[in-house]
Amino acid sequence: MYKLYRKFIMLSMVLSVFLLGGCSSMAVLDPKGPVAAQQKDLIMLSIYFMLFIVIVVFVLFTFIVFKYRERPDNMAYEPPEMEGSKILEIVWTVIPVIIVIALSIPTVQVIYSLEGPPKETAHKEPLVVHATSVDWKWVFSYPEENIETVNYLNIPTERPILFRLTSADAMAALWIPQLGGQKYNMSGMETQLYLQADEPGVYQGRNANFTGQGFSGQRFEVTAKPEDEFEAWVEETQATAPELTEDQYELFMLPGETGLHTFSSTHLDFVDHAHDAEYAMNARDKHGVHVDPHGKGKDEDRTDMDDIKTREEHDRHENSEEGDHEHSH
Protein backbone atom coordinates (compact mmCIF):
# COMPACT_ATOMS: atom_id res chain seq x y z
CA MET A 1 0.00 0.00 0.00
CA TYR A 2 2.80 2.41 0.90
CA LYS A 3 4.57 1.79 -2.42
CA LEU A 4 1.34 2.41 -4.29
CA TYR A 5 0.77 5.80 -2.66
CA ARG A 6 4.41 6.75 -3.06
CA LYS A 7 4.16 6.08 -6.79
CA PHE A 8 0.92 8.07 -6.93
CA ILE A 9 2.56 11.09 -5.27
CA MET A 10 5.60 10.90 -7.53
CA LEU A 11 3.38 10.69 -10.60
CA SER A 12 1.38 13.75 -9.45
CA MET A 13 4.56 15.77 -8.94
CA VAL A 14 5.98 14.76 -12.33
CA LEU A 15 2.72 15.64 -14.07
CA SER A 16 2.67 19.00 -12.30
CA VAL A 17 6.17 19.78 -13.57
CA PHE A 18 5.23 18.88 -17.13
CA LEU A 19 1.99 20.85 -17.01
CA LEU A 20 3.65 23.94 -15.56
CA GLY A 21 6.53 23.58 -18.00
CA GLY A 22 4.09 23.43 -20.89
CA CYS A 23 2.42 26.62 -19.69
CA SER A 24 5.50 28.60 -20.66
CA SER A 25 4.35 28.60 -24.31
CA MET A 26 0.91 29.97 -23.42
CA ALA A 27 0.31 33.62 -24.30
CA VAL A 28 -0.98 34.52 -20.83
CA LEU A 29 2.28 33.27 -19.35
CA ASP A 30 4.43 35.12 -21.88
CA PRO A 31 3.82 38.75 -20.86
CA LYS A 32 5.07 41.64 -22.98
CA GLY A 33 3.96 44.45 -20.71
CA PRO A 34 3.72 45.41 -17.01
CA VAL A 35 -0.01 44.64 -16.73
CA ALA A 36 0.35 41.13 -18.11
CA ALA A 37 3.47 40.60 -15.98
CA GLN A 38 1.57 41.45 -12.79
CA GLN A 39 -1.22 39.10 -13.73
CA LYS A 40 1.22 36.31 -14.58
CA ASP A 41 2.92 36.69 -11.19
CA LEU A 42 -0.47 36.45 -9.49
CA ILE A 43 -1.40 33.35 -11.50
CA MET A 44 1.89 31.62 -10.70
CA LEU A 45 1.64 32.57 -7.01
CA SER A 46 -1.81 30.97 -6.87
CA ILE A 47 -0.63 27.85 -8.70
CA TYR A 48 2.39 27.33 -6.45
CA PHE A 49 0.36 28.04 -3.32
CA MET A 50 -2.34 25.56 -4.29
CA LEU A 51 0.24 22.99 -5.40
CA PHE A 52 1.87 23.25 -1.97
CA ILE A 53 -1.51 22.64 -0.32
CA VAL A 54 -2.16 19.60 -2.53
CA ILE A 55 1.25 18.12 -1.70
CA VAL A 56 0.70 18.65 2.05
CA VAL A 57 -2.71 16.96 1.84
CA PHE A 58 -1.33 13.98 -0.07
CA VAL A 59 1.58 13.59 2.34
CA LEU A 60 -0.72 13.66 5.36
CA PHE A 61 -3.13 11.30 3.65
CA THR A 62 -0.34 8.85 2.87
CA PHE A 63 1.06 9.09 6.40
CA ILE A 64 -2.34 8.38 8.00
CA VAL A 65 -3.09 5.48 5.67
CA PHE A 66 0.31 3.91 6.28
CA LYS A 67 0.53 4.50 10.04
CA TYR A 68 -2.98 3.33 10.89
CA ARG A 69 -3.34 0.55 8.33
CA GLU A 70 -4.55 -2.84 9.43
CA ARG A 71 -1.63 -5.12 10.37
CA PRO A 72 -1.40 -8.64 11.80
CA ASP A 73 -0.17 -7.30 15.14
CA ASN A 74 -3.16 -4.98 15.69
CA MET A 75 -6.06 -7.04 14.40
CA ALA A 76 -7.77 -6.91 17.82
CA TYR A 77 -7.30 -3.17 18.27
CA GLU A 78 -10.47 -1.12 18.76
CA PRO A 79 -10.03 2.68 18.67
CA PRO A 80 -11.61 4.52 21.60
CA GLU A 81 -14.83 6.36 20.99
CA MET A 82 -14.38 10.13 20.84
CA GLU A 83 -17.04 12.81 20.81
CA GLY A 84 -15.35 15.55 18.79
CA SER A 85 -12.20 17.53 19.36
CA LYS A 86 -12.34 21.31 19.75
CA ILE A 87 -8.68 21.63 18.88
CA LEU A 88 -9.08 19.75 15.58
CA GLU A 89 -12.26 21.62 14.73
CA ILE A 90 -10.54 24.95 15.31
CA VAL A 91 -7.53 23.86 13.24
CA TRP A 92 -9.50 22.72 10.19
CA THR A 93 -11.63 25.87 10.34
CA VAL A 94 -8.76 28.32 10.76
CA ILE A 95 -6.49 26.82 8.10
CA PRO A 96 -8.96 27.41 5.17
CA VAL A 97 -9.54 30.96 6.44
CA ILE A 98 -5.79 31.60 6.42
CA ILE A 99 -5.54 30.15 2.89
CA VAL A 100 -8.33 32.41 1.58
CA ILE A 101 -6.77 35.48 3.20
CA ALA A 102 -3.32 34.60 1.85
CA LEU A 103 -4.72 34.42 -1.69
CA SER A 104 -7.08 37.38 -1.34
CA ILE A 105 -4.54 39.99 -0.23
CA PRO A 106 -2.29 39.87 -3.35
CA THR A 107 -5.34 39.43 -5.61
CA VAL A 108 -7.05 42.56 -4.29
CA GLN A 109 -3.78 44.50 -4.47
CA VAL A 110 -3.27 43.58 -8.12
CA ILE A 111 -6.89 44.29 -9.07
CA TYR A 112 -6.77 47.79 -7.61
CA SER A 113 -3.33 48.55 -9.03
CA LEU A 114 -4.53 47.67 -12.55
CA GLU A 115 -7.34 50.23 -12.43
CA GLY A 116 -4.78 52.93 -13.20
CA PRO A 117 -1.80 53.18 -15.57
CA PRO A 118 1.31 51.12 -14.80
CA LYS A 119 3.48 52.74 -12.14
CA GLU A 120 6.54 52.70 -14.40
CA THR A 121 4.89 54.99 -16.97
CA ALA A 122 2.23 56.75 -14.88
CA HIS A 123 3.96 60.07 -15.60
CA LYS A 124 3.29 59.71 -19.34
CA GLU A 125 0.10 60.84 -21.04
CA PRO A 126 -1.82 57.68 -22.01
CA LEU A 127 -2.89 57.02 -25.58
CA VAL A 128 -6.70 56.94 -25.59
CA VAL A 129 -8.31 54.31 -27.82
CA HIS A 130 -12.05 53.71 -28.04
CA ALA A 131 -12.51 49.97 -28.68
CA THR A 132 -16.00 49.16 -29.96
CA SER A 133 -17.11 45.59 -30.59
CA VAL A 134 -19.65 44.79 -33.31
CA ASP A 135 -20.84 41.38 -34.47
CA TRP A 136 -18.22 40.28 -35.51
CA LYS A 137 -15.53 42.90 -35.86
CA TRP A 138 -13.52 45.42 -33.83
CA VAL A 139 -13.54 49.18 -34.38
CA PHE A 140 -10.68 51.18 -32.83
CA SER A 141 -10.94 54.96 -32.64
CA TYR A 142 -8.07 57.33 -31.82
CA PRO A 143 -9.95 60.55 -30.95
CA GLU A 144 -6.84 62.66 -30.34
CA GLU A 145 -5.20 61.49 -33.58
CA ASN A 146 -8.53 61.53 -35.50
CA ILE A 147 -7.89 58.02 -36.84
CA GLU A 148 -10.09 54.94 -36.93
CA THR A 149 -9.06 51.37 -37.76
CA VAL A 150 -11.09 48.20 -38.13
CA ASN A 151 -9.75 44.79 -37.05
CA TYR A 152 -6.22 45.98 -36.33
CA LEU A 153 -4.52 48.25 -33.83
CA ASN A 154 -1.23 50.14 -33.74
CA ILE A 155 0.17 51.34 -30.42
CA PRO A 156 3.44 52.85 -29.17
CA THR A 157 5.69 50.91 -26.82
CA GLU A 158 6.47 51.95 -23.23
CA ARG A 159 3.41 54.16 -23.05
CA PRO A 160 0.13 53.38 -21.24
CA ILE A 161 -2.87 52.72 -23.47
CA LEU A 162 -6.26 53.68 -22.05
CA PHE A 163 -8.95 51.61 -23.73
CA ARG A 164 -12.48 52.97 -23.48
CA LEU A 165 -14.56 49.88 -24.07
CA THR A 166 -18.12 49.70 -25.36
CA SER A 167 -20.21 47.60 -27.71
CA ALA A 168 -22.60 48.36 -30.54
CA ASP A 169 -24.64 45.23 -29.89
CA ALA A 170 -23.85 42.01 -27.97
CA MET A 171 -21.68 42.01 -24.86
CA ALA A 172 -18.10 41.17 -25.83
CA ALA A 173 -14.73 41.21 -24.06
CA LEU A 174 -11.51 42.71 -25.38
CA TRP A 175 -8.57 40.43 -24.64
CA ILE A 176 -4.91 40.75 -25.65
CA PRO A 177 -3.34 37.90 -23.62
CA GLN A 178 0.29 39.03 -23.83
CA LEU A 179 -0.59 42.56 -22.75
CA GLY A 180 -3.18 41.85 -20.05
CA GLY A 181 -6.46 40.30 -19.05
CA GLN A 182 -9.86 40.86 -20.62
CA LYS A 183 -12.56 43.34 -19.73
CA TYR A 184 -16.17 43.48 -20.93
CA ASN A 185 -17.57 45.65 -23.72
CA MET A 186 -21.26 46.45 -23.15
CA SER A 187 -23.64 48.56 -25.21
CA GLY A 188 -24.96 51.71 -23.62
CA MET A 189 -22.08 51.99 -21.18
CA GLU A 190 -18.31 52.33 -21.03
CA THR A 191 -15.61 50.44 -19.15
CA GLN A 192 -11.91 51.29 -19.01
CA LEU A 193 -8.82 49.14 -19.33
CA TYR A 194 -5.16 50.12 -19.08
CA LEU A 195 -2.64 48.06 -21.05
CA GLN A 196 0.93 48.59 -22.18
CA ALA A 197 3.48 46.92 -24.44
CA ASP A 198 7.13 47.11 -23.43
CA GLU A 199 8.48 45.30 -26.48
CA PRO A 200 7.87 45.97 -30.19
CA GLY A 201 6.02 43.12 -31.84
CA VAL A 202 2.72 41.79 -33.10
CA TYR A 203 0.29 40.50 -30.49
CA GLN A 204 -2.96 38.66 -31.03
CA GLY A 205 -6.22 40.03 -29.66
CA ARG A 206 -9.72 38.63 -29.70
CA ASN A 207 -13.20 38.66 -28.27
CA ALA A 208 -13.19 36.52 -25.11
CA ASN A 209 -16.98 36.44 -24.72
CA PHE A 210 -19.15 34.24 -26.96
CA THR A 211 -21.39 36.38 -29.20
CA GLY A 212 -22.78 34.03 -31.82
CA GLN A 213 -21.74 32.16 -34.93
CA GLY A 214 -19.07 34.67 -36.05
CA PHE A 215 -17.40 34.78 -32.64
CA SER A 216 -14.40 32.65 -33.64
CA GLY A 217 -13.41 35.13 -36.35
CA GLN A 218 -13.63 38.23 -34.17
CA ARG A 219 -9.89 38.64 -33.83
CA PHE A 220 -7.40 41.43 -34.42
CA GLU A 221 -3.66 42.09 -34.43
CA VAL A 222 -1.93 44.63 -32.21
CA THR A 223 1.33 46.01 -33.59
CA ALA A 224 3.47 47.68 -30.94
CA LYS A 225 5.94 50.18 -32.45
CA PRO A 226 8.55 52.51 -30.99
CA GLU A 227 7.12 55.99 -30.35
CA ASP A 228 8.74 57.58 -33.43
CA GLU A 229 7.43 54.85 -35.76
CA PHE A 230 3.96 55.16 -34.27
CA GLU A 231 3.99 58.95 -34.84
CA ALA A 232 5.11 58.38 -38.43
CA TRP A 233 2.17 56.00 -38.95
CA VAL A 234 -0.21 58.59 -37.50
CA GLU A 235 1.06 61.30 -39.85
CA GLU A 236 0.89 59.03 -42.89
CA THR A 237 -2.62 57.85 -42.05
CA GLN A 238 -3.91 61.37 -41.50
CA ALA A 239 -2.52 62.37 -44.88
CA THR A 240 -3.54 59.37 -47.01
CA ALA A 241 -6.51 57.53 -45.46
CA PRO A 242 -10.07 58.45 -46.54
CA GLU A 243 -12.51 60.02 -44.12
CA LEU A 244 -15.18 57.81 -42.56
CA THR A 245 -18.73 58.72 -43.54
CA GLU A 246 -21.78 57.73 -41.54
CA ASP A 247 -23.13 55.72 -44.49
CA GLN A 248 -19.91 53.68 -44.52
CA TYR A 249 -19.99 53.23 -40.77
CA GLU A 250 -23.55 51.95 -40.85
CA LEU A 251 -22.33 49.05 -43.00
CA PHE A 252 -19.99 47.99 -40.18
CA MET A 253 -23.04 47.67 -37.92
CA LEU A 254 -24.35 44.77 -40.01
CA PRO A 255 -23.51 41.33 -38.59
CA GLY A 256 -20.66 39.65 -40.42
CA GLU A 257 -16.91 39.62 -40.76
CA THR A 258 -14.84 42.14 -42.69
CA GLY A 259 -11.21 42.89 -43.51
CA LEU A 260 -8.84 45.64 -42.38
CA HIS A 261 -9.89 49.26 -42.82
CA THR A 262 -8.27 52.62 -42.03
CA PHE A 263 -9.87 56.07 -41.90
CA SER A 264 -8.70 59.60 -41.15
CA SER A 265 -11.75 60.42 -39.03
CA THR A 266 -13.74 58.56 -36.37
CA HIS A 267 -17.33 57.51 -35.82
CA LEU A 268 -17.28 59.47 -32.56
CA ASP A 269 -18.15 62.52 -34.67
CA PHE A 270 -21.70 61.20 -35.12
CA VAL A 271 -22.28 58.42 -32.54
CA ASP A 272 -20.94 57.23 -29.20
CA HIS A 273 -22.22 53.71 -28.52
CA ALA A 274 -21.65 54.19 -24.80
CA HIS A 275 -24.59 56.61 -24.87
CA ASP A 276 -26.58 55.22 -27.81
CA ALA A 277 -27.29 51.51 -27.47
CA GLU A 278 -29.82 51.46 -30.35
CA TYR A 279 -27.62 52.80 -33.14
CA ALA A 280 -26.60 49.41 -34.55
CA MET A 281 -30.15 48.06 -34.42
CA ASN A 282 -31.45 51.12 -36.26
CA ALA A 283 -28.75 50.75 -38.92
CA ARG A 284 -29.69 47.10 -39.45
CA ASP A 285 -33.36 47.94 -39.76
CA LYS A 286 -32.45 50.60 -42.29
CA HIS A 287 -30.61 48.04 -44.43
CA GLY A 288 -33.19 45.28 -43.95
CA VAL A 289 -31.02 43.03 -41.78
CA HIS A 290 -32.78 41.58 -38.73
CA VAL A 291 -31.00 39.77 -35.91
CA ASP A 292 -32.55 37.83 -33.04
CA PRO A 293 -31.32 38.29 -29.43
CA HIS A 294 -29.02 35.26 -29.79
CA GLY A 295 -27.05 36.86 -32.60
CA LYS A 296 -28.44 34.72 -35.44
CA GLY A 297 -29.97 36.54 -38.34
CA LYS A 298 -32.94 35.12 -40.21
CA ASP A 299 -31.65 33.37 -43.33
CA GLU A 300 -34.03 35.28 -45.62
CA ASP A 301 -33.00 38.63 -44.13
CA ARG A 302 -29.29 38.17 -43.44
CA THR A 303 -27.04 39.86 -45.96
CA ASP A 304 -23.26 39.96 -45.91
CA MET A 305 -21.84 43.41 -45.22
CA ASP A 306 -19.63 43.36 -48.32
CA ASP A 307 -22.61 42.26 -50.45
CA ILE A 308 -24.64 45.24 -49.22
CA LYS A 309 -21.75 47.58 -49.88
CA THR A 310 -21.37 46.24 -53.42
CA ARG A 311 -25.12 46.49 -54.01
CA GLU A 312 -25.27 50.09 -52.79
CA GLU A 313 -22.28 51.10 -54.89
CA HIS A 314 -23.99 49.49 -57.89
CA ASP A 315 -27.22 51.41 -57.16
CA ARG A 316 -25.33 54.69 -56.83
CA HIS A 317 -23.56 53.97 -60.12
CA GLU A 318 -26.87 53.28 -61.87
CA ASN A 319 -28.46 56.41 -60.43
CA SER A 320 -25.48 58.42 -61.58
CA GLU A 321 -25.77 57.01 -65.12
CA GLU A 322 -29.51 57.76 -65.18
CA GLY A 323 -28.84 61.32 -64.06
CA ASP A 324 -26.18 61.79 -66.77
CA HIS A 325 -28.57 60.33 -69.35
CA GLU A 326 -31.41 62.70 -68.37
CA HIS A 327 -28.99 65.62 -68.32
CA SER A 328 -27.84 64.80 -71.87
CA HIS A 329 -31.46 65.01 -73.03
Side-chain angles (χ1 to χ4, degrees), residues 6-289:
R6 187 174 63 179
K7 290 180 180 179
F8 178 75
I9 293 174
M10 293 299 297
L11 178 62
S12 300
M13 295 177 67
V14 171
L15 287 175
S16 299
V17 171
F18 276 104
L19 288 172
L20 291 176
C23 288
S24 62
S25 61
M26 296 174 61
V28 292
L29 298 182
D30 183 24
K32 300 300 181 182
V35 175
Q38 275 189 277
Q39 293 174 337
K40 176 196 171 183
D41 292 342
L42 181 61
I43 290 172
M44 298 309 299
L45 173 65
S46 301
I47 290 175
Y48 292 138
F49 195 81
M50 290 184 286
L51 185 60
F52 170 76
I53 294 171
V54 169
I55 292 174
V56 170
V57 170
F58 276 126
V59 169
L60 290 174
F61 176 76
T62 304
F63 172 76
I64 297 298
V65 169
F66 176 75
K67 181 175 178 60
Y68 297 102
R69 72 189 187 283
E70 187 178 71
R71 300 189 304 270
D73 59 343
N74 67 354
M75 296 297 290
Y77 174 76
E78 282 290 334
E81 290 194 17
M82 298 179 64
E83 191 176 336
S85 171
K86 291 185 178 180
I87 294 178
L88 288 178
E89 289 175 0
I90 292 173
V91 168
W92 64 49
T93 300
V94 170
I95 289 178
V97 172
I98 294 174
I99 292 172
V100 171
I101 293 174
L103 289 174
S104 297
I105 291 175
T107 300
V108 171
Q109 289 176 336
V110 170
I111 289 174
Y112 276 94
S113 69
L114 296 182
E115 288 301 311
K119 292 181 180 180
E120 299 84 353
T121 54
H123 60 284
K124 295 184 178 180
E125 186 71 21
L127 173 68
V128 177
V129 177
H130 289 248
T132 304
S133 66
V134 192
D135 288 345
W136 290 276
K137 56 195 76 73
W138 286 98
V139 179
F140 299 103
S141 308
Y142 303 74
E144 297 173 3
E145 290 73 20
N146 208 31
I147 291 174
E148 184 150 302
T149 63
V150 180
N151 287 338
Y152 81 95
L153 182 66
N154 286 338
I155 61 173
T157 56
E158 298 182 344
R159 180 181 173 186
I161 313 299
L162 171 57
F163 287 96
R164 298 186 179 273
L165 309 177
T166 190
S167 174
D169 41 39
M171 184 174 75
L174 183 136
W175 188 29
I176 310 170
Q178 288 184 281
L179 300 185
Q182 62 89 18
K183 208 164 191 178
Y184 287 116
N185 299 62
M186 292 171 279
S187 61
M189 65 178 297
E190 180 182 280
T191 54
Q192 296 186 2
L193 174 67
Y194 280 96
L195 296 177
Q196 179 177 313
D198 285 342
E199 302 178 19
V202 178
Y203 309 113
Q204 302 301 315
R206 63 165 303 157
N207 175 13
N209 188 67
F210 181 72
T211 54
Q213 61 185 11
F215 156 78
S216 60
Q218 195 173 355
R219 301 169 181 266
F220 59 94
E221 285 191 346
V222 181
T223 302
K225 308 169 178 282
E227 187 77 32
D228 56 342
E229 293 184 19
F230 174 77
E231 293 298 334
W233 172 78
V234 169
E235 292 178 6
E236 180 183 1
T237 302
Q238 291 172 337
T240 60
E243 291 189 358
L244 176 65
T245 66
E246 187 166 5
D247 289 339
Q248 287 175 307
Y249 186 69
E250 286 180 352
L251 297 178
F252 291 116
M253 298 298 99
L254 308 184
E257 298 180 25
T258 186
L260 309 181
H261 302 271
T262 309
F263 302 97
S264 58
S265 62
T266 76
H267 74 268
L268 299 173
D269 295 334
F270 43 81
V271 63
D272 183 353
H273 295 281
H275 300 97
D276 186 352
E278 302 297 327
Y279 184 87
M281 298 300 105
N282 294 335
R284 291 166 185 175
D285 289 341
K286 176 180 177 180
H287 291 279
V289 177

